[in-house]
Amino acid sequence: MLDTSLVKSLIIDRSILHMNDPKVYEYWERLTELLSRNVEDTIHYLNNCSEEEIYWLSEIFEDISAKVNSQKYIECLKNLDKKYSNLNLSMDIKVAEEWMEG
């Protein structure tokens, strides 16, 4: 089961960091690890995220994709792109698809 409170906490902590802070990579790795454990739980979680949470998680869409290798995950991302169209997630999704393909 995905620890959603931990994921939310990590997103908040990550959002406070400057984009060039080396610690960003630690958050990316931890979030990727958590969100790659069970693709169904991740999809359920993403479908219930706020727009801001999706914004921050979009940084690691491709990393998750490479680990879960799931078309359902890609479809979830495409749905999020429609739901939050102002985030312009299409390039992140394209890269995620490429990473999934190998």
Side-chain angles (χ1 to χ4, degrees):
M1 193 85 189
L2 181 62
D3 185 346
T4 58
S5 60
L6 176 58
V7 173
K8 288 177 184 288
S9 175
L10 290 168
I11 292 169
I12 291 167
D13 292 347
R14 159 53 191 116
S15 70
I16 296 167
L17 296 175
H18 185 274
M19 64 186 223
N20 293 326
D21 189 322
K23 287 187 179 182
V24 166
Y25 297 104
E26 294 173 26
Y27 285 93
W28 287 358
E29 287 177 20
R30 184 71 176 123
L31 285 164
T32 299
E33 189 263 321
L34 289 169
L35 294 169
S36 298
R37 286 183 183 165
N38 182 305
V39 72
E40 295 297 329
D41 287 348
T42 297
I43 289 169
H44 178 75
Y45 174 73
L46 292 174
N47 284 331
N48 293 289
C49 279
S50 69
E51 185 171 2
E52 183 176 3
E53 290 166 328
I54 294 299
Y55 169 79
W56 290 108
L57 289 173
S58 68
E59 298 176 320
I60 59 166
F61 280 172
E62 65 272 11
D63 297 328
I64 297 167
S65 181
K67 290 188 176 274
V68 300
N69 196 26
S70 167
Q71 191 58 43
K72 284 184 178 182
Y73 171 74
I74 298 297
E75 291 305 316
C76 171
L77 299 183
K78 289 178 179 179
N79 289 334
L80 292 170
D81 188 32
K82 291 174 190 166
K83 183 177 181 181
Y84 301 121
S85 58
N86 59 318
L87 291 181
N88 298 317
L89 301 173
S90 55
M91 184 54 76
D92 295 316
I93 294 167
K94 184 178 189 296
V95 173
E97 285 180 298
E98 290 169 0
W99 279 50
M100 184 182 84
E101 294 165 0

